[in-house]
Amino acid sequence: MILYRYILKAHIGPFFFALAIVVFLFLFQFLMKSIDQLIGKGLSIWIIIQLISLNLAWMLTLAVPMAVLVATLMAFGNFASNNEITAAKAGGVSLTKLMIPVILISGILCYLMVRFNNDVLPEANHKARVLFSDITRTKPTLILEPGKFSEDIGGAKILVNKTFPNSNNIEGIFIYDNSRGNYKNLFTAQSGDIGFSNDFKNIILNLSKGEIHQYNTGDPANKYRKVEFEKHRMILPAENFGFQQSGEGSLIRGDRELPAETMRNIADSLQLVLNKADSTFAARVINEINIVASLNYKDTVYKQYLPDAKDSALTPEFYAVKNKTFDSLNSIAKRVFALVQSGKTHQTFKQEASKQIDSYLVEIYKKYSIPFACIVFALIGAPLGYRVRKGGFGIAAGFSLLFFLLYWASLIGGEKLADRGLLSPFMGMWIANIILGVFGLYLMFKSS
């Protein structure tokens, strides 16, 4: 027990140091990506701190397994460089036995991270998305999607061809403004910019090199006029903009904002709907086949009614059977066409429902596979540190980065393949753990 306490004590410092470094790197990347959407928008420091704190949840989920790998590499590298492992082996304690406390602690961390991923992470992701949605209202260009009309700004319909992520400039502007009573206005401009007034109560559009087309529905004598301009300023009310914090239920939760149990229930419900749809469609096919089979096909062979006379002397019985034949064939054609269309619709529904089910299963397995990486990285780190025989942070960080990049690439690739239906969700999320786990076991027994 004294030896095990000594081993665990050697892991504590490197673990928290590596955890802090990795979280800092994730945080730095997040801030660099979001800085233009946070600064200069009239947000309080408390709101910015809230957003950063909520995003720390997913950073912690990824940082803990990597910190385990760094700590294990450093600890066992130091043991090997100081010949402590050699002394332990001389005393009859193998490397496998030295790894027992590390594996146990990694298992505890795995359990805690599973609980964290199901209880804390979904709530943090949801609150972060709601808060970020509130923040986006403070930058109008985030609402404007190039090539699509937006009706979120001042009641006007706005279409732009191009926006710029690092500024409020816009290009290729078309604005339909029907808020002025009988006047219907169309504004076009080559370029411009959009922003808020100082009190955030109005949105100001500065347009350059454009035209105003005005249609007056109340004055038949002066229905239309056209005005060209070099500069024009529009002021629209910012009722839906500015920062206003939303409530908890303001947005529907996505798959990353739900615990595994809830997603499992949703996936099971979708599977039941899918099975019921299959049964309903199969019953319809059988019913249509029975209906078509019950038609009187003898009447369709109406040539038996043809007399020996010319066409002009065809009997009334012939025309009656002929019309009945065409009606039967037309009915069959309509039923077959409707059945084919229904089959296409059913197939599309199956594909979308299966895709949605796979998406939920991917997120379910991800909540368990990433925490399990703590155990996998402990299996890799201990024998690798022993073989490298160097316990410096640089060596440990280098190897950790290499294995984490391999793990992350496998995880992302597996998720993409699972979402496209090319790989099962289980294999997509666990393939990285399986490969690296086998490699870790190989290293452990090879080193022993």
Side-chain angles (χ1 to χ4, degrees):
M1 292 300 295
I2 297 176
L3 179 60
Y4 287 170
R5 285 200 299 268
Y6 175 73
I7 292 172
L8 293 178
K9 186 178 179 181
H11 281 76
I12 293 175
F15 173 79
F16 284 106
F17 178 71
L19 184 65
I21 294 295
V22 175
V23 169
F24 173 78
L25 292 176
F26 281 131
L27 184 59
F28 182 77
Q29 180 192 22
F30 170 76
L31 290 176
M32 289 297 99
K33 183 180 178 180
S34 308
I35 193 70
D36 64 310
Q37 300 172 10
L38 301 177
I39 304 301
K41 302 296 183 294
L43 301 175
S44 66
I45 297 297
W46 172 241
I47 295 299
I48 295 175
I49 292 175
Q50 270 187 284
L51 184 64
I52 293 173
S53 301
L54 292 171
N55 278 276
L56 285 175
W58 66 262
M59 299 177 194
L60 194 63
T61 300
L62 299 177
V64 169
M66 193 170 182
V68 169
L69 181 56
V70 173
T72 309
L73 273 166
M74 289 182 65
F76 278 82
N78 282 325
F79 294 157
S81 63
N82 296 332
N83 295 318
E84 291 173 310
I85 295 181
T86 304
K89 284 186 174 183
V93 182
S94 65
L95 178 64
T96 305
K97 290 183 179 180
L98 293 176
M99 291 174 59
I100 290 176
V102 180
I103 299 298
L104 290 176
I105 294 299
S106 299
I108 294 173
L109 279 176
C110 175
Y111 172 76
L112 293 176
M113 292 309 300
V114 167
R115 299 300 305 170
F116 181 85
N117 286 352
N118 280 284
D119 298 336
V120 179
L121 183 61
E123 291 297 324
N125 284 342
H126 180 65
K127 290 180 179 179
R129 189 165 75 95
V130 172
L131 186 57
F132 192 77
S133 176
D134 297 336
I135 291 173
T136 56
R137 293 201 303 266
T138 66
K139 187 177 181 181
T141 52
L142 296 177
I143 303 297
L144 299 176
E145 185 175 350
K148 291 186 178 181
F149 277 101
S150 173
E151 300 181 23
D152 297 320
I153 299 179
K157 296 181 180 180
I158 302 178
L159 170 70
V160 297
N161 291 331
K162 187 176 182 181
T163 60
F164 298 87
N166 297 322
S167 69
N168 287 334
N169 294 333
I170 49 180
E171 291 182 358
I173 307 161
F174 298 86
I175 303 173
Y176 291 94
D177 184 11
N178 300 327
S179 62
R180 305 181 187 278
N182 294 330
Y183 293 97
K184 310 295 182 183
N185 297 315
L186 168 62
F187 299 83
T188 65
Q190 294 182 12
S191 61
D193 63 75
I194 183 171
F196 286 99
S197 60
N198 293 332
D199 56 3
F200 286 91
K201 292 183 178 180
N202 294 302
I203 292 175
I204 299 175
L205 281 157
N206 295 309
L207 308 179
S208 301
K209 296 181 180 180
E211 299 175 349
I212 302 174
H213 300 266
Q214 189 176 80
Y215 181 74
N216 187 354
T217 58
D219 186 0
N222 298 295
K223 281 190 174 182
Y224 173 78
R225 71 170 184 155
K226 174 184 174 182
V227 178
E228 296 183 358
F229 61 83
E230 284 293 322
K231 298 288 184 181
H232 182 75
R233 171 171 289 188
M234 287 187 66
I235 299 178
L236 300 172
E239 296 176 355
N240 296 326
F241 287 86
F243 182 80
Q244 295 177 348
Q245 201 156 358
S246 302
E248 280 296 309
S250 58
L251 291 178
I252 298 175
R253 290 176 180 256
D255 50 12
R256 297 188 178 183
E257 302 161 26
L258 295 170
E261 183 179 356
T262 302
M263 287 191 288
R264 173 64 68 181
N265 292 335
I266 295 174
D268 291 342
S269 300
L270 286 173
Q271 189 62 54
L272 289 176
V273 172
L274 193 57
N275 294 338
K276 186 177 180 180
D278 285 337
S279 302
T280 302
F281 181 71
R284 179 178 176 182
V285 171
I286 294 172
N287 183 57
E288 293 294 332
I289 292 174
N290 292 334
I291 292 174
V292 172
S294 66
L295 295 175
N296 187 3
Y297 290 99
K298 292 182 179 180
D299 291 341
T300 63
V301 190
Y302 56 83
K303 287 187 177 181
Q304 61 182 316
Y305 290 92
L306 284 172
D308 296 332
K310 296 182 179 179
D311 293 344
S312 59
L314 294 178
T315 62
E317 289 82 0
F318 166 76
Y319 286 107
V321 175
K322 179 182 178 181
N323 292 335
K324 186 176 181 181
T325 300
F326 286 154
D327 290 342
S328 298
L329 293 175
N330 188 39
S331 175
I332 293 172
K334 287 182 177 179
R335 287 184 176 278
V336 170
F337 179 77
L339 193 60
V340 170
Q341 292 299 116
S342 178
K344 291 180 178 179
T345 303
H346 177 67
Q347 188 63 30
T348 302
F349 169 74
K350 282 187 63 176
Q351 291 175 352
E352 293 300 321
S354 298
K355 185 177 179 181
Q356 189 65 37
I357 291 172
D358 287 346
S359 175
Y360 281 117
L361 291 178
V362 164
E363 289 300 321
I364 291 172
Y365 292 130
K366 188 190 294 184
K367 290 183 182 296
Y368 297 96
S369 64
I370 293 179
F372 190 79
C374 294
I375 299 175
V376 172
F377 286 155
L379 287 174
I380 293 175
L384 191 62
Y386 167 68
R387 297 175 75 88
V388 172
R389 295 181 179 274
K390 291 183 179 180
F393 180 77
I395 297 294
F399 277 107
S400 299
L401 182 61
L402 174 63
F403 280 103
F404 193 75
L405 287 176
L406 290 173
Y407 179 83
W408 192 244
S410 301
L411 194 69
I412 296 297
E415 182 176 1
K416 296 297 182 183
L417 292 175
D419 287 338
R420 295 175 183 177
L422 301 176
L423 199 65
S424 70
F426 176 82
M427 288 302 298
M429 291 296 96
W430 283 90
I431 187 69
N433 284 333
I434 293 172
I435 294 174
L436 293 180
V438 170
F439 178 70
L441 291 172
Y442 169 78
L443 281 179
M444 184 178 69
F445 289 111
K446 188 73 174 177
S447 301
S448 298

